[in-house]
Amino acid sequence: MALAYLLGKGASKALHTKINIPILLVLSILPDIDILSEFLFNHPIHRGPTHSIIVALLIFLPFFVIYRKKAIPYFLGLISHSLIGDFIAGGQLRLLWPLSQAEFGLHELGFPIIKVGSQTEILLELSLFVIATLVLIISKDWRVFFKGRLSNLVLIIPITTVLLPSTIGYPFNESLLITEPILALAHIFYAALFSIAILTTLKTLYQRWFGKKDNKKPDNHTNQPTIKTPYQFEK
Ligand SMILES: [Zn+2]
């Protein structure tokens, strides 16, 4: 998510377009939806079609036609997951599925393997987290998480994916709080930030839906004299 944010942010600056950060963050973790296949069908297909650049391109084609350059930061956010993150850590990506079943990654290119959960991978993740957090603060992008925007509700997806590894430990054998407490803190930071965004949005929606009757009353009161007065004069 940190990587997608940095890339998406950079691209939006260069292209002079606006980005919706919560949607960008969700797109960056979407390829890992294939983890669900293990649960639903008892058939692990991790790093398969959902990590394919061809599939990402096909999905994004209509968005490129409609939104043109505005879609580029989101596309970069999505493909950064496979093309950079997973490519460096773990590899074994079917990047060109369905055109090719070949697996890609840094290790497949002849470099030493960087496993998910290894010290090198954790260091990379933490570095990206620190840089992304600094950019989030300096650019004042953090303010989006304190606004009651409907699109903030999509953050329920990363909340589940960042909270699960750092609390119950899935997909690792143990909780990150025990194995990698510093990395767990980064997860909890995002989870807290996203929870604030969701709660703020829910509060705004609640006020909009259930606070309507109260809001109408003053309007009626202010309208009544302006309607009544000319009517009374006419009489
Ligand atoms: Zn992945």
Side-chain angles (χ1 to χ4, degrees):
M1 281 191 283
L3 185 64
Y5 168 65
L6 291 171
L7 275 174
K9 178 81 186 163
S12 77
K13 274 253 170 198
L15 297 163
H16 305 288
T17 60
K18 279 186 179 176
I19 46 161
N20 182 307
I21 296 163
I23 291 174
L24 178 72
L25 297 177
V26 171
L27 279 172
S28 77
I29 56 160
L30 270 192
D32 278 349
I33 203 165
D34 58 7
I35 293 174
L36 283 176
S37 73
E38 209 174 320
F39 278 125
L40 298 174
F41 314 110
N42 207 15
H43 176 65
I45 48 158
H46 193 43
R47 301 197 166 190
T50 57
H51 286 67
S52 161
I53 302 306
I54 310 286
V55 173
L57 254 173
L58 286 173
I59 291 170
F60 255 81
L61 262 180
F63 294 100
F64 280 131
V65 172
I66 301 165
Y67 299 105
R68 295 176 187 270
K69 69 173 185 178
K70 277 184 191 169
I72 294 173
Y74 299 100
F75 180 69
L76 289 177
L78 175 68
I79 61 163
S80 68
H81 178 112
S82 318
L83 222 51
I84 304 173
D86 284 357
F87 193 89
I88 295 171
Q92 294 181 307
L93 297 148
R94 278 185 274 163
L95 286 181
L96 301 178
W97 186 92
L99 299 180
S100 164
Q101 296 293 330
E103 291 185 348
F104 296 88
L106 207 60
H107 180 58
E108 282 80 354
L109 289 178
F111 290 90
I113 192 156
I114 300 172
K115 285 185 177 173
V116 175
S118 65
Q119 288 305 307
T120 318
E121 191 261 345
I122 287 169
L123 199 71
L124 280 169
E125 272 200 60
L126 280 174
S127 312
L128 280 167
F129 169 74
V130 170
I131 299 166
T133 307
L134 285 174
V135 175
L136 201 70
I137 295 167
I138 294 163
S139 65
K140 290 178 182 160
D141 276 349
W142 58 268
R143 288 183 299 191
V144 76
F145 301 102
F146 291 81
K147 285 177 184 168
R149 282 187 189 167
L150 202 61
S151 57
N152 280 354
L153 294 180
V154 296
L155 292 169
I156 192 78
I157 301 166
I159 280 184
T160 322
T161 58
V162 293
L163 265 181
L164 282 180
S166 48
T167 51
I168 65 163
Y170 183 84
F172 307 105
N173 296 326
E174 272 182 300
S175 164
L176 270 184
L177 275 166
I178 299 162
T179 54
E180 294 297 335
I182 299 171
L183 191 62
L185 283 178
H187 284 220
I188 290 167
F189 173 82
Y190 277 156
L193 197 63
F194 301 168
S195 300
I196 289 169
I198 288 177
L199 291 174
T200 310
T201 305
L202 289 177
K203 191 185 161 198
T204 309
L205 288 175
Y206 180 85
Q207 284 169 343
R208 204 176 291 167
W209 291 336
F210 299 104
K212 241 181 180 178
K213 284 169 195 166
D214 296 335
N215 290 340
K216 267 188 174 177
K217 275 178 189 168
D219 287 352
N220 289 342
H221 285 302
T222 49
N223 283 343
Q224 274 169 4
T226 51
I227 296 164
K228 268 186 180 175
T229 314
Y231 177 71
Q232 281 166 345
F233 274 113
E234 274 170 34
K235 251 186 165 180

